[in-house]
Structure formats: C-alpha cells, structure tokens
Amino acid sequence: MTAIKHALQRDIFTPNDERLLSIVNVCKAGKKKRNCFLCATVTTERPVQVNVVKVKKSDKGDFYKRQTAWALRDLAVVDAKDAVKENAEFDLHFDKVYKWVASSTVEKNTFISCIWKLNQRYLRKKIDFVNVSSQLLEESVPSGENQSVAGGDEEAVDEYQELNAREEQDIEIMMEGCEYAISNAEAFAEKLSRELQVLDGANIQSIMASEKQVNILMKLLDEALKEVDQIELKLSSYEEMLQSVKEQMDQISESNHLIHLSNTNNVKLLSEIEFLVNHMDLAKGHIKALQEGDLTSSRGIEACTNAADALLQCMNVALRPGHDMLQAVKQQQQRFSDLREQFARRLASHLNSVFVQQGHDQSSTLAQHSVELTLPNHHPFHRDLLRYAKLMEWLKNTDYMKYEGLTKNYMDYLSRLYEREIKDFFEVAKIKMTGTTREGKKFATLPRKESAVKQETESLHGSSGKLTGSTSSLNKLSVQSSGNRRSQSSSLLDMGNMSASDLDVADRTKFDKIFEQVLSELEPLCLAEQDFISKFFKLQQHQSISGTLTSEAEEMDGGALSRSYTPGVPQTISSEKDMIRQMMTRIFRCIEPELNNLIALGDKIDSFNSLYMLVKMSHHVWTAQNVDPASFLSTTLGNVLVTVKRNFDKCISNQMKQMDEVKISKKSKVGILPFVAEFEEFAALAESIFKSAERRGDLDKAYIKLIRAVFVSVEKVANESQKTPRDVVMMENFHHIFATLSRLKISCLEAEKKEAKQKYTDHLQSYVIYSLGQPLEKLNHFFEGVEARVAQGVREEEVSYQLAFNKQELRKVIKEYPGKEVKKGLDNLYKKVDKHLCEEENLLQVVWHSMQDEFIRQYKHFEGLIARCYPGSGITMEFTIQDILDYCSSIAQSH
C-alpha cells in the first residue's frame, strides 16, 4: 500500500500541487468488485483546499488516472454503518449517498480518522460522523495533541512529508562534501551530529551575547506599555463623553419617531375623512331634486335621474373597516335611506298618475278609430314614458317592491285599455267581413252606438262593464245569413256552412285583404309594446321578477291576481324572454280569443276562407319565429295557427264527407260528377293562394286525401249508376281529373295523375269493346271455330277440308254482311254512344275514333285468318277498310 501511495503522490497529486494524506482501497457496494482508491488530499498553496479524490487504475496500462473529486466541504455525513462490530462498509453523503466497501477494516478506520482530523482542522467540525466508534475518534486526536491540531501543527496530521526540490539539492551538496556519506552512513550520521552540536553551541553563545540588547528591548516594551495605559485612559474618557452624546441622540431619535408617527396618523385620518366626505356627501342640488324635482319636464327628469344616480353611488360606497361604527356615517346612511324612500314614493305616485292619464287620453281616440280598421298608435305614450327608463332602473335596484307595484299597475291599466281597443278593432273587422257578402252588406253601414264608446272609456278607469253585445249579435246575424244561403245551395261542396259557388273571387280577395290588415295591425302593435316593456322596465338586464307576474300570466282574472300577489318575495324566472312574454300575455290576453272568434266567423262565411287564413297566418308565424321563436307574438300566432289548421282540416274532411254522401239521379245520365268539378275549383283556388306559401306541405297532404276520396267516390258512383254505363262514368270523370292535374301541374299528385290517365285509358278501351261488341257476330263465331280447330292441332291450310268450315260455309256467312248492313249497325252504335256520353267533357269523337280502330282491327284479324286457312280461294269480305273509314266518317258528320 506504501508503494501505491508513493506512486499516486508522484504521478497524480504532485503535478497538481497536492499532498496525499490518506488512502483506502474500495469498491462499490452491491456491484461487481472493480477496485478503486479513495484519497484524502490537501493543496500545498494557501488557502488550503481539502478534497476526496477517486482514483482508478487504467485498464490498458499499469498507471492510475484521476476519475472524480469532491470538495470535503460538500461532505455532509460519514456513516460507518456499525460503531461496535467491525464492518468494512461505509457511506459518504455528498450531493448523493455513495456506498463503499473497504478492502479491510483497518484501512477504513484509518481513512475515517484522517477525515475526522481534516474536519477538525479545516471545516470547524462541520461533518457529521454516524455509527463511528468514539474510541476511534479519541485515538485520532490524543489529549496532548489537541492544541497542536487546533493551533496548526501540520506534522500531527501529516504522517509523511516529501522533500521539496531545494531540500533535495541541499542534501545532495552536503553528501557530495563527504566522501563516505553513502559508503559509511553511520560515520556520516555522527559527523552530522557533531556539526549540529557545534551549531547549537554557536546559537547559545549568540543568545548570551545578545542579553544586553534583550534588556534594552524589555525596557522599551515597559515604556510602550505605560504609553498604552495612558492611551487607554484617554479612550475611556472619550467613551464616557460619547455615551452621554449617544443618550441624547437616542432621546432625539425617539422624539422624531413620535413626531413621524403623529404625522402619519394625521395623514391617514385626513385620508379617511376625505374618503367619507368625497363618497358620502350628496350635493344640495341633488337633495333638492330628489325632494322637489319636477318629474313632468325633461330637464327636471334629467336632474332627478342624476340625483338618483348620485344617491345610489353614495349608498353603495364600499366602506372601509370601522366606518360603519362612526355615528356620522350612521346618520348619513339614515339620511340617504330617507331620501331614497321619499323619492321612490314620489316617483311611483307620479308614474301611476301618468298611467291613468294615458288611459284617459287614449280613450278619447277610441271613437275615431271605431269605424276604421286601424289600431290607435301608442308611440307618443311610449316616447313620453321612456324618459323615465333610467329612473325605473334606479327604482328596480333600490326599492323592488315599488318597482313591482308599478309593473302590476301598468299591466292592469294597459290590459284594460288594449282590451277595449282590440275588441273595437275586431268588431269593425267582423262588420267589414260580413259586409263582403250580399246578405251581410247591410251590417257594414250600421253606426256604432255612442254609449258603447262611453262604456269602453269608463271601463278603462275601473268600470266592470264588458262590450260583448254587439259582437254576439253580429255572430247571430252571420249565422242566420249562412242558413239562408245554405238553403239556396244545391252544391256538394257545402261544407256545413255556405256554398263556395255563392261567393265570387272579388269577395274572397276582399276577405283576404281584411284578414291580412288585421294581422298587419296587430303585429306592429305587439312588437312596439314588447320593445317598450323591455326598455322601460329594464328587463334586458336578466334580473328576476316577482312571482306576481308569473301568477298573473297563468291566471287570467283579476281576483286570482290579487290573491296570488305576495309583495317583496321575488321568484326567479328562467330568462328575460319569459318575463317579457308573461307581461305581454297579461296585457294582450284578449288577442288570442278575438282572433279565434274572427277565424270562426270567416269560416262560417266561407269555408274556403280557411285557405287564405292558413297562408296568411303561416307567413306571420314564420316571420315572428325568425325574429324570436319564444316571443309572445310568435306563441300567440302559433296557437291561433293551430285553430286555422283545424278549420282547414275540417274543410277537407267536410269535402270528403260530402263526396261519401253523394246521391245521383237514376233517370238522367251522370256526366261529370259535381265533386270532381268542385275538386278542380278547390285545386285551382288553392294553387293561386298557396303560390309562395311557407306551409305547402299541409296543402299537399290535403290534396292526397281529397284525390284519393275523389277516386273512391267516382268508382262508387260508377258502380251505382243505372242510366249511364260504369265505364262511361269512370272514363269521363278520370279524363276530367287527368286534364285538371295536367293543367295545374301539382307536383305531389304526379302519381295520381298517371293513375287517372291509366284508369281513363283502361275504361275507354273497356267501353269501346263492350259497346262495339261483335258487329259481325256470325262471322266471328265461324272464325272462333276455325281457331279452335287450329288449337286442337289441325293445320291451318287443312281447316278448309273440315265439313263445318269449308269454303262454301265461309262464303255463306260473308254474304250475310254486305256493306249496307255494316253501315246501319255502325250508325245505331254511334247513336247509342252519343246517348251515353255527356256534352261538357266532349269525348264522343275520341270514343268513336277508338271504336273505328277496334272495328278495323277485327276486320284485319278476319282477313288474316282467311288468307292463312283458305289460301288461293279468292274469298274476301264484301266491304273493305276504306269502306269502314267512309262509313264512320259519314256517320260522324251526319250527327
């Protein structure tokens, strides 16, 4: 180990100006044993640095290389694992824990002892030694050597000290001066000893010779000590003087601190006072505006609005901790509360007066609108009230109960006002509608009683009277006129009320315009009121409104409203749209029943009016839903649209019912059935009405229902017909249906159009065959026998050898059908067809041409059989195809 230590010192540490103090042969714990050396070193230069170096032997040669170095100051813990039992394992805690196993316990203890010494000397006992025997540490530092280790005796630590270059040079010079320095070391050592004694003696003599100088030096030292004592006395006096000055300065500093503290407190107090004054002081002008401000003029409203905002800011100021305990703050807050209550009461009273005044002013205009189909304009009233919108928002945020009361009062006043206006408006509309008919025109000029207008005005301000007499009497009259006209109608398309044929296109167009004007007047009225409610009551802020509004929307009578009212208990509603819709429902609660009554009247006048109403109502619902699907207008019109759709479905059902109940005359020919003609009328009218309608699907479904019912009814009538052949009824009516569908080009009925054409063609062919029958009956029977023989296996050219079908028999049958007899038979057939067919459909020539073609087909069939079965016989019919064409043409022209 000593040789390795010298080799490491020479090769690794000397070039780096380091001295090797201790070494231990180790390997890592738990791994394959690859030995290396841990070395404790110090630098030769100051300041001294102590390191632990890991040295490893090179794999390629017999030399060592420095692998890792740690500064000893980074070592935190040395763990020897066991302080009692001998154990070669130990841990060094640097930036992480390194576990080692020494080659022997002695080397481990020697290395730990060296680390202990270095820790004591250079690191002031910074490293913790764990599980290290105290005996080992005590042996490392004997009691007599503690001073030398602490004081800097490097030899107590260094077991070996290498000579430096100069010392080696001096020794070489000394040995060169002695010839036997190497050959006789003992003699050389004695020589050196003698020379050392000589030098010691010289030193002693030199010391004795310098005793006088030493005494002089001691005397000088005594004098110096006296001077030092005097200086110390002066310094003590100076220190006493400075101590008194220090006490005075401390007093001044404390006084300055108190002054600074007082100034700081004064500044903070001033800041708090300024905060309270700036945020809780309401200007006199604002106070005057709140107490006496004019709420009728625009300038006064603006002043009151600014004052209310300032008051709200003062009341909502975020006070700092402790402010609410100040008496002045409490008084100011109470003053603000009194001002708020006083102004809120004054504002609510004024707005209630405005609502009442609006009722009076608006009632005065009811009479002039009573004879016109227009609704009064509320824009001036809305414009005047919107000046108070900011004050309403203030009231909503400060006194919700009063805001709630104003909302309820507004709905009460406006609901009565709108109810009178809307009922009067609908009464005029009903009069104009009934005036469009011949029997009802007299109602259009009936004057409105002045008492009715007066009654409406009184009802607006609390009267319980209802204007219902005129509307009910009007309905009775319209029903009576419907009954008179129903008795005059003989059409199948009566639909329970009136005949559509009694009304011309101008009447229906006028009804359509009146209904459109009603919807066009109602729509802007509702939208304007909804927009005003949203702006005036500030509902766009998504705040909840009390349960009063919810109950008012659900209940529709005043008694239930008053019972459900619970002041100051707000109930959350999902959104502002729900709140607005509920208010609108309360205000315009009469619109939906009035519209339903108007629709019922229009349906009584003419069931075809349901087509106009369905298109118009669908368009307005579609427009309203594009703007806001959940709005009051959209919901109300949607509900009314359901009623219109039911009337439309009822109209279709009535037509189908009338078709099912149709009865035909047994004495006259059928012709075109009435419901077929009326389907044509319905389809033409519907196509003109639904030309660009949104609800085309409803009409398409109705078309399909009606056309199927028409098909079924035509077949039913054809089966029951006694005067007219079934094929003629089917042929004529399906031809008419096909012509109607082809002309109108209804896309959803393409399949039915093809079916109608097919039925027409089939029944035309059937009728032709049935009517034509067998004009050459005997000849036909003859050739049927010929075909039967051929079918039995007889060759066609051998049929003439059959006794019953020889050439003589054929000539005998042909002679019975000369051209004169054929023409006479065709003439009788033409008269028969003419008797069956109706004139309005004009199918006689078509049928006659088909019969001509069928007769020619039979003629050609007979000619073919003669040519095949009687070849070369020269037998022919006594008339030709050209004769047939001439006969048919002359018969058609003669009639």
Side-chain angles (χ1 to χ4, degrees):
M1 181 63 73
T2 304
I4 294 174
K5 187 174 181 181
H6 282 286
L8 293 175
Q9 176 66 49
R10 181 182 66 252
D11 297 337
I12 295 177
F13 298 113
T14 298
N16 293 329
D17 296 330
E18 291 180 290
R19 284 188 291 118
L20 178 62
L21 303 182
S22 179
I23 185 172
V24 57
N25 186 8
V26 297
C27 64
K28 289 187 177 180
K31 294 188 177 180
K32 184 178 178 181
K33 294 186 177 181
R34 297 184 64 184
N35 292 343
C36 58
F37 298 97
L38 289 180
C39 305
T41 66
V42 296
T43 59
T44 57
E45 298 180 356
R46 296 187 182 278
V48 177
Q49 295 182 4
V50 186
N51 298 319
V52 176
V53 183
K54 178 182 176 182
V55 178
K56 183 180 179 181
K57 190 172 183 180
S58 175
D59 297 334
K60 297 182 180 180
D62 204 16
F63 62 91
Y64 297 93
K65 62 181 180 179
R66 186 184 186 120
Q67 189 173 18
T68 310
W70 300 277
L72 190 64
R73 65 176 178 271
D74 296 334
L75 181 61
V77 178
V78 176
D79 187 358
K81 295 295 184 181
D82 197 334
V84 179
K85 297 181 181 180
E86 292 186 357
N87 186 0
E89 296 182 4
F90 66 97
D91 296 343
L92 299 181
H93 294 236
F94 288 101
D95 54 345
K96 64 179 183 178
V97 179
Y98 295 90
K99 298 181 180 293
W100 307 102
V101 179
S103 59
S104 66
T105 308
V106 175
E107 288 185 13
K108 165 192 164 183
N109 293 338
T110 303
F111 184 75
I112 292 176
S113 176
C114 180
I115 295 297
W116 165 266
K117 294 174 184 177
L118 293 173
N119 177 46
Q120 295 291 323
R121 179 171 183 180
Y122 295 106
L123 302 180
R124 307 300 181 189
K125 303 179 180 181
K126 178 182 177 182
I127 303 173
D128 293 334
F129 289 82
V130 182
N131 298 323
V132 179
S133 172
S134 59
Q135 184 179 359
L136 177 62
L137 299 180
E138 290 174 0
E139 290 177 356
S140 302
V141 187
S143 60
E145 296 180 3
N146 286 339
Q147 296 293 332
S148 64
V149 172
D153 187 1
E154 192 172 327
E155 294 300 329
V157 178
D158 302 336
E159 294 181 359
Y160 169 79
Q161 184 174 358
E162 186 180 11
L163 296 175
N164 57 32
R166 185 171 180 178
E167 290 174 342
E168 289 179 355
Q169 185 178 2
D170 291 341
I171 290 175
E172 289 177 358
I173 293 172
M174 184 172 59
M175 293 176 69
E176 289 175 357
C178 181
E179 297 178 355
Y180 51 87
I182 298 175
S183 60
N184 192 352
E186 293 181 358
F188 182 65
E190 290 179 359
K191 178 183 177 183
L192 292 177
S193 178
R194 288 195 299 273
E195 289 179 357
L196 180 59
Q197 290 177 359
V198 172
L199 290 173
D200 287 342
N203 287 336
I204 291 172
Q205 289 178 3
S206 176
I207 290 171
M208 293 176 64
S210 61
E211 181 178 3
K212 183 176 180 180
Q213 283 81 3
V214 170
N215 291 333
I216 294 172
L217 180 60
M218 293 299 292
K219 184 176 180 181
L220 291 174
L221 289 174
D222 290 338
E223 292 177 355
L225 290 173
K226 290 180 181 180
E227 290 294 330
V228 168
D229 292 339
Q230 292 179 0
I231 292 173
E232 287 182 351
L233 290 174
K234 289 184 178 180
L235 290 175
S236 298
S237 63
Y238 292 157
E239 184 176 0
E240 291 177 359
M241 294 172 64
L242 289 175
Q243 184 65 29
S244 64
V245 173
K246 178 178 177 299
E247 292 176 357
Q248 293 177 5
M249 292 302 295
D250 290 342
Q251 292 177 359
I252 294 172
S253 175
E254 184 177 359
S255 176
N256 287 339
H257 174 71
L258 293 176
I259 293 171
H260 178 70
L261 183 63
S262 176
N263 288 338
T264 302
N265 290 336
N266 289 334
V267 170
K268 289 183 177 180
L269 179 60
L270 179 61
S271 174
E272 296 295 328
I273 294 174
E274 288 178 347
F275 173 81
L276 293 175
V277 170
N278 292 336
H279 292 85
M280 294 194 68
D281 185 28
L282 190 63
K284 292 182 179 179
H286 289 335
I287 295 175
K288 184 177 181 181
L290 292 173
Q291 292 176 341
E292 304 173 0
D294 183 12
L295 289 173
T296 58
S297 64
S298 299
R299 182 175 296 180
I301 293 173
E302 183 179 0
C304 290
T305 302
N306 296 333
D309 290 340
L311 176 62
L312 187 61
Q313 290 178 3
C314 291
M315 296 186 70
N316 292 338
V317 65
L319 296 177
R320 296 171 183 173
H323 284 176
D324 54 350
M325 300 176 64
L326 297 175
Q327 185 65 28
V329 172
K330 292 179 180 179
Q331 292 177 355
Q332 192 73 347
Q333 288 178 335
Q334 183 61 42
R335 185 183 182 190
F336 291 157
S337 298
D338 295 341
L339 280 173
R340 178 191 64 187
E341 179 65 26
Q342 180 183 355
F343 181 68
R345 189 166 53 249
R346 195 163 69 91
L347 176 63
S349 175
H350 176 74
L351 289 178
N352 278 325
S353 300
V354 173
F355 297 159
V356 174
Q357 184 63 34
Q358 161 65 9
H360 285 288
D361 295 343
Q362 203 71 22
S363 296
S364 62
T365 64
L366 286 176
Q368 70 183 48
H369 289 279
S370 61
V371 294
E372 301 174 3
L373 195 57
T374 57
L375 283 166
N377 188 3
H378 288 247
H379 176 69
F381 174 58
H382 291 166
R383 182 191 58 214
D384 293 341
L385 277 181
L386 282 176
R387 298 182 301 169
Y388 302 95
K390 292 184 178 179
L391 290 176
M392 280 298 294
E393 183 179 11
W394 176 86
L395 189 64
K396 182 178 182 180
N397 294 329
T398 57
D399 194 338
Y400 197 83
M401 286 182 62
K402 287 187 174 58
Y403 169 83
E404 190 178 63
L406 277 175
T407 304
K408 183 177 181 300
N409 291 339
Y410 178 81
M411 289 190 296
D412 289 342
Y413 285 121
L414 266 294
S415 63
R416 291 199 295 270
L417 175 61
Y418 276 121
E419 185 174 2
R420 298 300 165 229
E421 292 178 353
I422 291 170
K423 285 187 176 181
D424 182 71
F425 172 73
F426 274 95
E427 183 181 356
V428 175
K430 290 173 185 177
I431 292 173
K432 288 183 178 293
M433 281 185 180
T434 54
T436 60
T437 64
R438 296 182 183 92
E439 290 82 6
K441 288 183 179 178
K442 56 185 178 181
F443 299 115
T445 57
L446 288 178
R448 178 176 170 84
K449 295 182 179 180
E450 293 295 326
S451 60
V453 178
K454 183 177 181 181
Q455 185 180 8
E456 288 180 355
T457 309
E458 293 174 353
S459 177
L460 181 65
H461 305 293
S463 174
S464 59
K466 300 288 184 179
L467 182 61
T468 57
S470 59
T471 304
S472 61
S473 61
L474 181 63
N475 289 339
K476 291 178 182 178
L477 289 170
S478 64
V479 171
Q480 291 172 4
S481 66
S482 301
N484 295 333
R485 297 179 59 191
R486 183 163 56 248
S487 65
Q488 297 172 4
S489 174
S490 60
S491 171
L492 292 174
L493 192 58
D494 186 23
M495 293 169 289
N497 292 313
M498 293 183 179
S499 172
S501 60
D502 291 339
L503 298 172
D504 55 16
V505 177
D507 292 336
R508 288 173 179 166
T509 304
K510 187 170 184 181
F511 171 83
D512 181 41
K513 290 181 179 179
I514 292 172
F515 191 74
E516 172 63 23
Q517 187 174 358
V518 168
L519 297 180
S520 300
E521 287 288 326
L522 288 176
E523 200 169 87
L525 180 73
C526 293
L527 292 176
E529 185 63 31
Q530 179 172 310
D531 183 63
F532 168 75
I533 288 174
S534 175
K535 292 178 180 178
F536 182 70
F537 291 99
K538 294 298 178 182
L539 294 180
Q540 63 268 26
Q541 302 301 319
H542 293 279
Q543 297 183 6
S544 64
I545 195 166
S546 73
T548 304
L549 299 185
T550 305
S551 58
E552 286 176 352
E554 294 172 353
E555 306 287 345
M556 286 303 170
D557 59 293
L561 291 176
S562 61
R563 290 194 298 272
S564 65
Y565 177 67
T566 307
V569 183
Q571 299 178 2
T572 303
I573 298 179
S574 59
S575 68
E576 76 166 76
K577 293 181 180 179
D578 294 331
M579 296 152 54
I580 295 174
R581 187 171 62 253
Q582 290 168 9
M583 291 183 68
M584 292 288 292
T585 303
R586 177 69 180 87
I587 293 172
F588 292 107
R589 58 186 178 183
C590 64
I591 284 183
E592 186 172 338
E594 288 293 333
L595 272 174
N596 288 332
N597 291 337
L598 187 68
I599 290 167
L601 177 62
D603 192 53
K604 288 178 182 179
I605 294 172
D606 182 3
S607 288
F608 275 2
N609 286 336
S610 61
L611 277 70
Y612 291 98
M613 291 188 286
L614 181 61
V615 171
K616 295 299 181 184
M617 190 60 69
S618 299
H619 175 72
H620 283 273
V621 169
W622 180 80
T623 305
Q625 287 182 343
N626 282 342
V627 176
D628 184 2
S631 67
F632 163 78
L633 184 63
S634 176
T635 305
T636 302
L637 294 182
N639 295 338
V640 175
L641 178 61
V642 173
T643 303
V644 174
K645 179 62 170 59
R646 287 177 185 156
N647 289 345
F648 175 75
D649 294 339
K650 181 181 176 183
C651 172
I652 302 301
S653 299
N654 286 339
Q655 291 189 57
M656 296 170 63
K657 182 178 178 182
Q658 294 295 331
M659 293 177 195
D660 189 55
E661 296 175 354
V662 66
K663 300 296 181 183
I664 60 173
S665 175
K666 297 181 180 180
K667 297 181 180 180
S668 59
K669 59 184 177 182
V670 177
I672 301 301
L673 293 170
F675 56 79
V676 174
E678 286 155 1
F679 173 77
E680 178 184 10
E681 179 188 1
F682 172 82
L685 177 63
E687 285 300 307
S688 64
I689 295 174
F690 282 80
K691 197 169 187 179
S692 59
E694 289 83 6
R695 292 181 69 100
R696 176 75 192 191
D698 294 330
L699 180 62
D700 291 344
K701 293 177 184 178
Y703 274 149
I704 294 173
K705 289 181 181 179
L706 280 176
I707 198 68
R708 299 317 306 179
V710 169
F711 282 11
V712 172
S713 298
V714 169
E715 292 191 10
K716 177 184 175 185
V717 172
N719 292 332
E720 296 175 354
S721 175
Q722 297 178 2
K723 183 71 173 177
T724 306
R726 178 180 183 277
D727 287 329
V728 172
V729 176
M730 297 287 286
M731 174 185 65
E732 289 183 327
N733 284 279
F734 278 109
H735 177 267
H736 191 85
I737 293 170
F738 171 71
T740 300
L741 296 180
S742 300
R743 176 171 55 83
L744 296 178
K745 298 179 181 179
I746 302 173
S747 58
C748 69
L749 297 181
E750 281 296 320
E752 284 72 12
K753 183 179 74 171
K754 294 178 181 178
E755 183 180 353
K757 182 179 180 182
Q758 186 63 40
K759 285 180 179 292
Y760 155 69
T761 304
D762 293 344
H763 287 285
L764 171 62
Q765 188 67 25
S766 175
Y767 176 69
V768 167
I769 294 173
Y770 169 78
S771 298
L772 188 62
Q774 297 176 350
L776 309 176
E777 185 175 0
K778 293 181 180 181
L779 188 62
N780 191 68
H781 286 311
F782 180 84
F783 281 110
E784 283 180 357
V786 171
E787 290 175 341
R789 293 294 186 275
V790 174
Q792 291 172 3
V794 179
R795 296 175 61 182
E796 290 182 341
E797 59 270 18
E798 295 178 355
V799 172
S800 60
Y801 298 106
Q802 299 287 324
L803 183 60
F805 302 101
N806 56 29
K807 297 178 182 178
Q808 289 76 13
E809 292 295 325
L810 175 62
R811 289 190 181 99
K812 186 187 297 184
V813 173
I814 289 176
K815 285 182 179 180
E816 293 183 9
Y817 294 100
K820 185 178 181 181
E821 286 295 324
V822 171
K823 183 177 180 181
K824 182 179 179 181
L826 290 175
D827 187 61
N828 293 332
L829 179 61
Y830 187 88
K831 293 177 181 179
K832 181 181 177 182
V833 172
D834 188 24
K835 184 178 179 181
H836 288 163
L837 298 179
C838 65
E839 296 179 359
E840 57 265 28
E841 199 59 23
N842 198 23
L843 287 177
L844 178 59
Q845 296 303 320
V846 176
V847 174
W848 184 244
H849 184 73
S850 298
M851 287 184 171
Q852 172 185 293
D853 293 341
E854 178 63 22
F855 189 72
I856 292 173
R857 187 191 65 77
Q858 290 186 14
Y859 179 88
K860 290 181 178 179
H861 177 65
F862 296 154
E863 287 285 333
L865 285 175
I866 292 172
R868 293 195 304 274
C869 297
Y870 303 92
S873 63
I875 300 174
T876 59
M877 304 287 287
E878 294 190 359
F879 58 92
T880 62
I881 292 178
Q882 185 61 43
D883 293 335
I884 295 173
L885 294 174
D886 293 340
Y887 297 158
C888 292
S889 177
S890 64
I891 290 171
Q893 291 176 2
S894 65
H895 290 281

